Amino acid sequence: MTQLPKSTDKKLGLVIDLDTCVGCHACVISCKGWNTENYGAPLSDQNAYGADPSGTFLNRVHSYEVQPDQGTAQLIHFPKSCLHCEDAPCVTVCPTGASYKRVEDGIVLVNESDCIGCSLCAWACPYGARELDAKEGVMKKCTLCVDRIYNENLPVEDREPACVRTCPAGARHFGDLGDPDSEVSQLVADRGGFDLMPEQGTKPVNKYLPPRPKDVMPEYDVLAPFLEPVATTGTGFAHWLDKTLSALPGGSK
Amino acid sequence: MHPAPSVIIFTTFSGLGFGLLFWLGIGAITPNGLMAFIWFTIAYLAAVGGLLASTFHLGRPERAIKAFRQWQTSWLSREGICAVATLLIMAIYGAGLVFFDTPLRPLGWIGALGALGTVFTTSMIYAQLKTVPRWRHWTTPALFLALSIGGGALLAGQVTEALVLLTLAGALQIYTWNTGDTRLAQSGTDMASATGLGHIGKVRAFEPPHTGTNYLMREFIHVVGRKHARVLRIIALGSGFVLPIVFLLLPFSHIWGGLALISHIAGVIVLRWLFFAQAEHVVGLYYGKR
Ligand code: SF4
Ligand code: SF4
Ligand code: SF4
C-alpha cells in the first residue's frame, strides 16, 4: 500500500557521525556484499572491469571540503543511504504499491515482484537513495538489513545492519529513534544531530552528527624555553662574564 | 533530468492524441462513417502510441498492468486509469459515429473531460515533485493542457481556436521559462542544506562516491549549456508557435494546415526535450552539480 502509516511503532534508523567517519568505504562494500548475497535481486555491476564501470549501490560515501571564513578547510566524509523518512515521498508516488513503509518499525521497503521499474520513486527521493538496477529492472534501496536485524540464525552481535557492524571507526549507530531513551536518541540529543534537507519536508528518521569544532592550537615554539635568558639580573662571575660578552661588538643584549 | 526519448515521445504524442479526442468529444467536429473512422484512428494512434512509448522506459514493462492500483496516492496510477477510461469511453462514442451515424453526446462530453483529466494527471506526475523545483509550479499543468488542446485544435482543423490557444500556450511557455530559471535557487535547497555542513563554511564537493558514473548521475544530472538552451528555446518557439500561427493566418489550404501541424509537433518535441534536460533535480547538489 502506498498510503503512509499515520505513525509507526518504532522508528528504526541510523545515526551517522560525520566527526568520526574516516571515509574508508568499508560500509559501502559490506552493504553491497550482504545485499547481493542475500534478500532480493543482486546489486549488479555493468562493465565492472572496463573503462567505464558502473553499478548499483545502496550506500555511497561522498567527500566534501568545507572552507570556514577563517582557518583551514576541513575534509568531511559523508556516507549516504536511505533515511527511512516518516513522510516518504518515494512511497506515495509508487503506482503499484511495491514501495511501502512498515507500520511495525518504519522501514521503507520495495516489494520487488510488484515493481515495474518506472523510476518515479527515485525521482521523488531528494537524497538519491534509490537506484534502478540495470540488470533486474527493479528499484533497489537500503532495507536497513531487515534480513539481519531480526535474524535469529545470526549471533546476537551480528543482528544489526551490515554497514554498522563493519564500520571500523564506530561512525555508524543503529537503533530506535522513536524512543527518546534509546542510545541513538541520546546520541542525537547530546551531539545536536540534524536532518538532511529539512525543507523538503520528508522528516528523515536517520540523523547525522556534525563534525566537532576543530581545536585551535596556540602558536607554540618548543625550543623557546631553552633559549630564554635564565635570569636578567644577577651577581658573581657568571653575571660579570655575561655583561662583558654582551658589551662586545655583536654580543647579544 | 535525463531527456529520455521514450518520455518525450509519450508526452508529445499522447498530449496531441488526447487533445484531438477532446475536440471530437465536445462535438467540435462530428464526422461519420469512414471519415469518423479516420479521425478516431489518428487520435488513437497518437494517444495509444504515446502511451506505449512510455512503457519503454519501464524496467519491467511486462508488469505494467500493476500500475493501476494505487490511485489514492499516485498520480501515475491516476493517469493510467484516466487514460484507459477515456480511451474506452471514446471508443464507444467513436463506434456510434462510425457504425450508426449517431453521436452519443453525453458520452462524448464525459470522454472530453477524461481527455483533459488524462493530460492533467500526466502533468501532475511532474508538478508534484518537490525534488525538481522547476516543475513544481502551476505552469506545468497549465502548459501541458494548453499544448494538448491547442495541438488538438490544430489537428482537428479548428483554425480560430488553434490560433487563440497556440498564442496562449506560447506566452505561457515564455513565462514558464522566465520564472523557472530561478526556481531552484528560490527553493531553499542548496549544498548547505543537503549536507547540513553550511554552518561550518562553504561546502564544495571534493570527491564523488565512485570514480565512474552511476544511475543517479545518468538519470538526474543533465547540464545543457546556457548558449544551447537559448538557441533551442528560440527554435522551439519559432517552430512550435510562430510558424504554425503564420501558416494558419495564410489563406486556408490543406498544405498550410499540414505544415502548421508538422512544425508545431517538431516545436513541441524540442520544448519537451528542454523541459526534461533543463530540469534540475536536487540530488545533483550532492555531486556539486545542478
Ligand atoms: S531517503 Fe529517499 S528512499 Fe529513503 S525513505 Fe526518504 S525519500 Fe524514500
Ligand atoms: S520503480 Fe518500482 S517501487 Fe519505484 S515507484 Fe515504480 S513501481 Fe514503485
Ligand atoms: S565504514 Fe564507517 S568510517 Fe568507513 S566510510 Fe563507512 S561510516 Fe565512514
Side-chain angles (χ1 to χ4, degrees):
Chain A
M1 251 337 244
T2 56
Q3 269 149 320
L4 289 165
K6 288 224 165 45
S7 67
T8 56
D9 301 342
K10 284 184 177 181
K11 296 180 191 170
L12 294 187
L14 301 177
V15 173
I16 294 170
D17 191 342
L18 298 178
D19 192 61
T20 351
C21 173
V22 295
C24 67
H25 291 236
C27 50
V28 177
I29 301 306
S30 63
C31 166
K32 178 117 175 172
W34 179 265
N35 289 292
T36 292
E37 291 145 17
N38 295 281
Y39 161 83
L43 303 173
S44 73
D45 288 319
Q46 280 69 43
N47 202 9
Y49 303 100
D52 55 346
S54 168
T56 311
F57 286 82
L58 311 183
N59 176 28
R60 292 181 183 265
V61 180
H62 295 250
S63 297
Y64 297 104
E65 180 197 74
V66 186
Q67 176 66 59
D69 286 341
Q70 248 147 41
T72 49
Q74 262 174 267
L75 188 64
I76 294 160
H77 304 293
F78 194 97
K80 186 161 57 61
S81 51
C82 172
L83 311 169
H84 298 278
C85 306
E86 280 178 59
D87 274 340
C90 57
V91 170
T92 49
V93 297
C94 176
T96 63
S99 270
Y100 62 104
K101 185 170 176 72
R102 307 201 330 164
V103 183
E104 59 270 39
D105 50 20
I107 300 181
V108 175
L109 289 177
V110 174
N111 175 354
E112 290 175 4
S113 57
D114 273 356
C115 172
I116 58 172
C118 67
S119 282
L120 198 52
C121 54
W123 289 23
C125 170
Y127 309 107
R130 291 176 169 245
E131 302 192 12
L132 189 77
D133 187 81
K135 177 148 185 300
E136 290 290 325
V138 295
M139 198 49 75
K140 300 296 297 183
K141 69 176 291 302
C142 160
T143 66
L144 214 56
C145 285
V146 69
D147 50 348
R148 286 175 68 96
I149 57 179
Y150 300 115
N151 191 337
E152 288 176 2
N153 297 322
L154 295 178
V156 179
E157 64 271 25
D158 282 337
R159 290 180 207 164
E160 57 180 14
C163 58
V164 176
R165 185 77 178 99
T166 213
C167 177
R172 308 177 70 92
H173 307 268
F174 164 70
D176 180 7
L177 286 139
D179 169 8
D181 297 325
S182 68
E183 270 179 45
V184 279
S185 296
Q186 294 292 324
L187 199 55
V188 170
D190 290 350
R191 294 274 307 280
F194 60 86
D195 289 349
L196 304 187
M197 292 186 186
E199 72 284 353
Q200 286 274 335
T202 54
K203 294 204 247 150
V205 168
N206 285 13
K207 303 283 178 221
Y208 283 76
L209 305 180
R212 293 181 174 91
K214 293 283 178 215
D215 293 342
V216 183
M217 289 292 215
E219 199 66 35
Y220 192 69
D221 183 346
V222 278
L223 288 177
F226 302 106
L227 299 172
E228 285 301 317
V230 180
T232 48
T233 55
T235 51
F237 175 71
H239 180 62
W240 171 81
L241 188 64
D242 182 41
K243 249 175 45 188
T244 315
L245 289 175
S246 301
L248 291 175
S252 90
K253 291 275 173 315
Chain B
M1 303 290 295
H2 169 63
S6 57
V7 185
I8 294 172
I9 299 223
F10 152 59
T11 53
T12 305
F13 285 96
S14 74
L16 202 63
F18 282 102
L20 179 54
L21 284 179
F22 167 79
W23 292 106
L24 286 168
I26 61 165
I29 40 173
T30 313
N32 52 28
L34 183 63
M35 275 318 283
F37 182 77
I38 293 173
W39 277 115
F40 277 86
T41 307
I42 296 173
Y44 275 76
L45 277 181
V48 178
L51 288 175
L52 281 182
S54 78
T55 62
F56 282 114
H57 95 281
L58 298 182
R60 291 290 192 139
E62 75 279 11
R63 297 179 187 156
I65 192 79
K66 290 181 194 265
F68 296 100
R69 295 201 292 221
Q70 300 298 331
W71 54 271
Q72 280 163 300
T73 65
S74 169
W75 282 106
L76 183 50
S77 213
R78 290 172 195 161
E79 181 216 26
I81 292 169
C82 260
V84 171
T86 305
L87 290 174
L88 288 178
I89 291 169
M90 286 307 283
I92 303 173
Y93 178 73
L97 291 179
V98 174
F99 301 112
F100 307 104
D101 200 1
T102 325
L104 305 162
R105 289 281 177 227
L107 219 52
W109 294 327
I110 297 173
L113 206 65
L116 293 185
T118 307
V119 176
F120 176 71
T121 45
T122 304
S123 70
M124 284 309 290
I125 296 174
Y126 307 110
Q128 71 175 329
L129 294 172
K130 237 183 176 167
T131 47
V132 185
R134 188 188 279 275
W135 290 347
R136 196 180 162 82
H137 199 248
W138 63 265
T139 47
T140 301
L143 195 54
F144 267 69
L145 282 168
L147 283 171
S148 168
I149 317 175
L154 194 57
L155 192 53
Q158 306 295 299
V159 176
T160 325
E161 287 84 347
L163 277 173
V164 173
L165 285 164
L166 288 186
T167 312
L168 192 80
L172 201 55
Q173 179 64 78
I174 294 172
Y175 177 76
T176 305
W177 279 332
N178 279 342
T179 55
D181 285 346
T182 51
R183 221 168 280 135
L184 174 66
Q186 284 166 2
S187 73
T189 299
D190 52 18
M191 277 186 87
S193 81
T195 59
L197 298 171
H199 64 282
I200 304 176
K202 196 164 162 25
V203 185
R204 184 172 80 88
F206 183 75
E207 239 181 347
H210 292 86
T211 49
T213 178
N214 63 40
Y215 165 78
L216 300 168
M217 299 179 78
R218 284 190 298 266
E219 187 82 356
F220 299 117
I221 304 173
H222 190 99
V223 182
V224 199
R226 186 169 290 185
K227 209 172 70 197
H228 297 303
R230 257 235 316 274
V231 174
L232 285 170
R233 282 179 175 185
I234 293 168
I235 292 176
L237 281 182
S239 163
F241 307 107
V242 179
L243 276 182
I245 290 173
V246 170
F247 288 144
L248 287 184
L249 288 174
L250 291 173
F252 181 78
S253 92
H254 280 295
I255 306 232
W256 292 133
L259 282 178
L261 183 64
I262 292 170
S263 168
H264 174 71
I265 294 175
V268 172
I269 289 178
V270 177
L271 57 89
R272 279 291 145 73
W273 187 88
L274 284 167
F275 176 76
F276 289 100
Q278 287 205 295
E280 308 92 341
H281 192 290
V282 294
V283 81
L285 296 168
Y286 285 107
Y287 291 84
K289 306 224 165 78
R290 41 161 289 174

